């Protein structure tokens, strides 16, 4: 994780006022299958809270707290 990315993840200002995370101005892209390691569920932690990412049978993503 780059320092710039780590700072952006802990920056709670309005997202529009933050600098872009990458030099191209686009957000980092992650394959959902990689996050779930080939399964259909992954847990994502942010500020000590755990969220669940699910891939449905229809191929849609659901993120819940």
């Amino acid at each position: 994780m780059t320092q710039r990315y780590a700072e952006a993840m802990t920056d709670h200002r309005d997202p529009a006022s933050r600098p872009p995370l990458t030099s191209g101005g686009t957000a980092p892209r992650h394959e959902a299958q990689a996050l779930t390691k080939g399964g259909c569920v992954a847990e994502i932690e942010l500020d000590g809270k755990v969220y669940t990412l699910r891939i449905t049978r229809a191929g849609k993503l659901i993120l819940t707290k």
Side-chain angles (χ1 to χ4, degrees):
M1 179 182 319
T2 66
Q3 181 179 354
R4 186 172 176 187
Y5 184 78
E7 289 170 356
M9 292 294 93
T10 58
D11 185 349
H12 299 290
R13 294 178 292 171
D14 176 28
S17 68
R18 297 181 201 155
L21 297 180
T22 62
S23 59
T26 59
R29 182 176 294 202
H30 303 278
E31 286 288 330
Q33 293 290 344
L35 292 174
T36 61
K37 295 189 176 179
C40 59
V41 178
E43 291 185 343
I44 301 170
E45 186 175 337
L46 176 65
D47 294 334
K49 296 177 185 159
V50 177
Y51 297 83
T52 302
L53 177 70
R54 287 187 173 82
I55 303 174
T56 68
R57 283 185 269 167
K60 310 254 181 190
L61 294 176
I62 300 173
L63 183 65
T64 56
K65 192 171 186 183

